[in-house]
Amino acid sequence: MNFHVDASTGKTLGLVELSGRLDAANRSELLKSFALWQQQVDLFIFNCTKLDMIDSSGLGAIVACLRKALERNGDLKLAGLNPKVSMVFELTKANKLFSIFPDTGSAIQSF
Amino acid sequence: MIISEKICNSISVITLQGTLDASTASTLKTFKPALAASSPIVIDFSRVDFLDSSGLGALVGIAREKRSKGGEVTLACLNNKVRKVFEITQAYKLFDIFDDVEAATLHAEKKQGHL
Amino acid sequence: MKTLIIVKEKDYEWLGPVFPGIHPLLLPICNKPFAEFLIDFSVLAGSEAIRFVSDGPLGDVEQYCENGNRWGIAISYGSILENDDLQMIIEKNQRYCVEEKVLIVSGYVFIQYDRQHDYKTLLASLPDGEFLSSNHGSLRLRGARPAVHETIDRVPLSLTGLDSLDVYYRLSMEILSYASSPYVLPGYNNEEYCHIGRNVVISKSSEIRKPVMIGNNVQIFEGSILGPGAVIGSNVIIDRECTVTDSIVLENTYIGEHLEVQNRIAAGNILIDPESGISIVMDDPHLLAGIKKTGSGKKVFQSFVHSIAALFLIALLLIPFLLLSPILILQGKWKRSKNSYYTSGARKPVTLTTTTIERKGILSTLAGAISLDRFTLLFSVFAGKLALIGSLPVVARHAGSMDLNTIESWYHAGVFSYAEAEDWPVNGGDTAIVERYFAVHGNPFLDISMTIKAFFNRIHETKTL
């Protein structure tokens, strides 16, 4: 998990790079980190290009992140889902909750 | 088990009769005409009513030995019970299996002719 | 007339990794195994007998079709080799093919026909040779009479090579969407576009939108929507508030609640996009899961008997082990190495410490002869890691579980191996033959006598593994 703040477009965005697997083993790590990141920014982009696999608890964690972002009038957008990960999003209808972009660039533009 | 040999289409056909298991496998292994020469043989299974892993071991051993000498072992007329043993062990991948002795000998002869 | 159906492994090799455990001839197409479509057509074409020949396994097909009594037709099976050509295959089935007209179906192809039409007359009028072909297979006649010049009504008949998931998916959807099917399909069919099997429980609040096809023993929970375009196999559970549209759910699958399955194939815990061929394996029981058949008590009993026998061997070898191993360790002839081994097809590799004894000198020869090198492995039998006797342990190549797909279901590593008991040459693929044999024919008590045989065989063994 990699976090940095991007302000190139004038808006302060938190760019999070997820990698490997997101499941029950590391969901709490994401949730904890997310709480810390929220002290810096309100708008987030999760870059998922390096995310290989996600299961329901990993998905739950991302949805929880979205909720927390919305509570603070922020937002969370996703970018670069590989076909396998996006199959899980479609299966669980989670794709209807998020704005999903093909890559980080277009996600940044959308804010 | 009774083992007999006859010549059909100039190929030696070994007919097995009875049960091919641990107690009879060694009889087959030591049956000279089967192993002696490099010439191909056909083993007729029409009267074999049972085959177990030791019997199969003997067959695979003979086939390997023959092959190393440039010969070939062709099998013919496997009944359902015997065929199932070949099926579950995938030993069928090692042999040409015919449903007719005559056709098997013709094939063996053709193959010998090519050598 | 007779029918000879030739299917070679390479024709369907793409299917193995996609649907592990399903024999390609039994691949369900609209809940009907592929082989049954072939059988139906053969019967329709006037065959009295069918023979399936393949260079791959046919055991599952034989178990399903048996001798063909169910269809009133005689079914037999035969083996061929990978490189056999048609001529050779006919020679190998000489007795079957002789003096009869034979319809030869070759390749992994789906024959599209319509049961309303008369194929008997059509085939009777055709001459010898190939009469229909696609890039993946063909239909031909052998031993037919010379062509009769009658005018035969054109009847629908075509071939579809089953060469990809996409073709499979589209074929299934096409068959599903026929109002009155040209094929006989399983299930009750009171109304058009709808086939429902036995023991199907559909919750009141769920919705069924035609066309759909549902197998046997299916449960559909509240608020679910099936179809349009759903093929649900047998033993399937669709949990609450699911939508399944334009999808195939193969048998023994659980679809978790609130899921949306659209344009997909679900098979156990595998979800596939037929168009791209991408598949994901879920190890998450909340989403998709395979419904497992319960494990047999036979296995438990077997490991119990193995443990008892291992205990006995330990008691027997304990004193020689305590006496000899320190000496051999000092002499440097007792070599230990740690390796990761597969234990069975279902589990992850385990690390085992194996011992090799250099058989030089009296003491080490003695130690080797009484299998002291296997002594420590005997304890793994209690832990259930190893069988007392089974397959030769295969060294795991990768730490991950991906490689497990290549390990076959019969594989179960043992302290001793059946190959040793039967004195088979240990190297080469031949040992797999004897291991497969015992996977089917073995029983716990036979295992004990095989262990004793292996033990005695090893006395004379000169080389260690």
Side-chain angles (χ1 to χ4, degrees):
Chain A
M1 255 173 268
N2 211 326
F3 174 74
H4 74 269
V5 177
D6 178 283
S8 57
T9 51
K11 274 186 180 155
T12 355
L13 303 174
L15 292 181
V16 179
E17 189 178 42
L18 301 175
S19 57
R21 295 178 61 94
L22 185 59
D23 53 23
N26 52 13
R27 60 165 286 162
S28 55
E29 192 190 333
L30 174 67
L31 290 174
K32 256 185 234 159
S33 314
F34 193 78
L36 293 177
W37 300 332
Q38 272 197 308
Q39 294 168 3
Q40 299 177 49
V41 284
D42 289 322
L43 304 174
F44 287 89
I45 295 170
F46 279 10
N47 176 7
C48 301
T49 35
K50 287 183 186 160
L51 184 67
D52 303 322
M53 202 54 221
I54 189 166
D55 75 350
S56 62
S57 53
L59 204 60
I62 296 191
V63 173
C65 290
L66 175 71
R67 293 259 149 79
K68 280 202 257 171
L70 293 176
E71 274 168 24
R72 298 237 218 143
N73 292 323
D75 201 358
L76 165 59
K77 300 186 179 186
L78 303 177
L81 272 59
N82 79 20
K84 290 189 177 192
V85 172
S86 81
M87 259 166 88
V88 178
F89 272 81
E90 282 161 31
L91 177 72
T92 54
K93 292 182 268 190
N95 57 340
K96 290 171 186 165
L97 297 175
F98 292 93
S99 323
I100 299 172
F101 297 87
D103 51 65
T104 325
S106 51
I108 291 173
Q109 291 305 317
S110 74
F111 275 109
Chain B
M1 190 179 62
I2 305 164
I3 307 177
S4 57
E5 193 198 8
K6 62 174 181 184
I7 305 291
C8 179
N9 292 320
S10 81
I11 297 295
S12 135
V13 178
I14 291 165
T15 307
L16 308 179
Q17 192 177 345
T19 307
L20 186 54
D21 58 14
S23 58
T24 54
S26 52
T27 330
L28 178 63
K29 273 192 212 166
T30 49
F31 186 68
K32 283 277 175 283
L35 288 167
S38 64
S39 54
I41 54 166
V42 171
I43 303 179
D44 177 2
F45 272 83
S46 48
R47 292 183 190 173
V48 176
D49 45 36
F50 180 80
L51 173 75
D52 77 354
S53 66
S54 311
L56 199 59
L59 286 174
V60 174
I62 290 170
R64 291 273 176 235
E65 180 120 12
K66 273 271 171 206
R67 241 163 255 178
S68 68
K69 291 177 187 163
E72 195 63 43
V73 179
T74 305
L75 310 182
C77 302
L78 276 57
N79 70 21
N80 259 339
K81 230 172 170 178
V82 172
R83 190 180 47 74
K84 273 182 189 159
V85 174
F86 276 80
E87 175 64 49
I88 58 150
T89 58
Q90 294 186 15
Y92 57 79
K93 294 198 183 219
L94 298 176
F95 298 95
D96 276 316
I97 302 170
F98 285 74
D99 72 345
D100 183 74
V101 179
E102 175 95 24
T105 55
L106 283 171
H107 161 74
E109 195 186 30
K110 225 192 307 174
K111 241 187 164 169
Q112 192 180 28
H114 282 303
L115 293 172
Chain C
M1 196 183 75
K2 290 179 174 179
T3 305
L4 184 68
I5 297 168
I6 305 165
V7 185
K8 288 195 177 177
E9 269 184 314
K10 68 165 174 20
D11 298 334
Y12 58 66
E13 60 187 359
W14 62 272
L15 245 173
V18 187
F19 299 133
I22 298 180
H23 191 288
L25 281 171
L26 299 179
L27 177 72
I29 299 173
C30 283
N31 289 346
K32 180 171 170 135
F34 173 58
E36 276 198 62
F37 285 93
L38 294 173
I39 294 169
D40 284 357
F41 179 72
S42 305
V43 173
L44 209 58
S47 280
E48 297 104 46
I50 296 175
R51 174 169 292 182
F52 287 102
V53 297
S54 174
D55 55 346
L58 283 171
D60 292 347
V61 183
E62 184 166 2
Q63 205 168 35
Y64 182 80
C65 301
E66 294 172 326
N67 57 7
N69 269 350
R70 238 184 308 161
W71 297 274
I73 193 166
I75 298 180
S76 57
Y77 308 85
S79 298
I80 52 173
L81 295 180
E82 193 187 342
N83 295 321
D84 288 349
D85 58 7
L86 186 64
Q87 183 56 35
M88 183 70 177
I89 293 167
I90 290 167
E91 277 173 28
K92 284 190 173 177
N93 296 284
Q94 189 72 34
R95 194 171 287 183
Y96 179 78
C97 295
V98 81
E99 287 173 14
E100 263 278 12
K101 186 159 101 171
V102 184
L103 165 68
I104 300 171
V105 181
S106 63
Y108 192 49
V109 286
F110 185 85
I111 306 170
Q112 281 168 298
Y113 61 91
D114 187 337
R115 63 189 155 116
Q116 316 291 342
H117 292 275
D118 178 11
Y119 291 91
K120 238 182 221 174
T121 322
L122 171 76
L123 291 189
S125 71
L126 292 169
D128 250 20
E130 191 176 280
F131 63 90
L132 194 63
S133 76
S134 81
N135 47 348
H136 292 286
S138 69
L139 295 186
R140 60 168 60 234
L141 284 172
R142 191 180 169 275
R145 275 173 300 165
V148 223
H149 294 284
E150 285 174 64
T151 40
I152 298 294
D153 293 336
R154 284 201 67 81
V155 286
L157 188 63
S158 65
L159 291 181
T160 305
L162 291 170
D163 60 350
S164 70
L165 258 187
D166 197 29
V167 171
Y168 166 71
Y169 172 79
R170 278 188 281 134
L171 181 69
S172 302
M173 288 299 143
E174 188 188 314
I175 293 174
L176 182 69
S177 61
Y178 287 125
S180 56
S181 183
Y183 312 100
V184 180
L185 295 176
Y188 295 108
N189 179 214
N190 290 337
E191 46 189 315
E192 285 180 339
Y193 302 111
C194 188
H195 290 255
I196 294 183
R198 283 172 279 122
N199 193 19
V200 174
V201 182
I202 302 172
S203 159
K204 257 188 219 160
S205 58
S206 60
E207 244 179 87
I208 306 285
R209 299 174 180 166
K210 297 186 278 187
V212 289
M213 170 130 216
I214 299 174
N216 303 326
N217 309 318
V218 174
Q219 284 189 60
I220 296 156
F221 283 83
E222 302 92 71
S224 284
I225 302 167
L226 288 198
V231 180
I232 311 292
S234 294
N235 308 319
V236 167
I237 300 171
I238 310 270
D239 214 333
R240 291 166 45 221
E241 322 256 333
C242 270
T243 12
V244 180
T245 45
D246 297 313
S247 295
I248 302 170
V249 178
L250 293 189
E251 53 182 19
N252 304 321
T253 303
Y254 164 79
I255 307 274
E257 50 184 64
H258 298 287
L259 297 186
E260 186 175 78
V261 181
Q262 197 166 22
N263 297 312
R264 295 283 183 266
I265 300 173
N269 61 344
I270 307 172
L271 184 73
I272 308 165
D273 175 5
E275 204 181 323
S276 63
I278 290 171
S279 69
I280 48 176
V281 181
M282 310 270 182
D283 23 70
D284 190 336
H286 301 299
L287 303 177
L288 248 63
I291 297 173
K292 282 185 197 121
K293 291 154 203 157
T294 44
S296 62
K298 199 180 147 195
K299 280 244 167 79
V300 179
F301 181 61
Q302 184 180 27
S303 61
F304 175 71
V305 172
H306 279 204
S307 299
I308 301 266
L311 191 67
F312 177 77
L313 271 178
I314 288 172
L316 190 74
L317 296 175
L318 183 64
I319 291 172
F321 175 77
L322 291 177
L323 290 177
L324 289 175
S325 65
I327 302 172
L328 293 176
I329 291 170
L330 285 178
Q331 287 180 336
K333 288 176 183 168
W334 184 277
K335 286 167 191 148
R336 320 204 68 184
S337 57
K338 237 181 192 177
N339 258 319
S340 177
Y341 291 95
Y342 293 119
T343 54
S344 75
R347 271 180 267 162
K348 289 195 167 170
V350 292
T351 310
L352 297 173
T353 310
T354 51
T355 312
T356 33
I357 299 174
E358 210 179 301
R359 290 200 189 186
K360 271 185 215 153
I362 300 168
L363 284 181
S364 58
T365 310
L366 179 69
I370 58 173
S371 293
L372 281 188
D373 51 339
R374 305 286 166 89
F375 185 79
T376 49
L377 289 180
L378 286 171
F379 292 95
S380 305
V381 177
F382 301 124
K385 284 184 190 169
L386 290 177
L388 182 59
I389 185 158
S391 313
L392 277 177
V394 175
V395 178
R397 280 192 199 88
H398 309 292
S401 55
M402 286 307 285
D403 216 32
L404 281 180
N405 294 334
T406 58
I407 298 290
E408 293 181 63
S409 54
W410 47 264
Y411 174 83
H412 193 191
V415 177
F416 295 95
S417 75
Y418 291 119
E420 285 166 343
E422 291 282 36
D423 221 358
W424 279 53
V426 171
N427 37 16
D430 289 353
T431 52
I433 292 177
V434 70
E435 284 161 11
R436 283 191 206 104
Y437 180 90
F438 282 101
V440 176
H441 291 293
N443 70 58
F445 298 107
L446 185 64
D447 283 348
I448 292 180
S449 69
M450 294 309 283
T451 309
I452 296 168
K453 263 174 107 177
F455 189 78
F456 281 103
N457 278 344
R458 296 197 76 233
I459 294 177
H460 312 293
E461 195 180 289
T462 45
K463 272 175 272 171
T464 46
L465 299 181

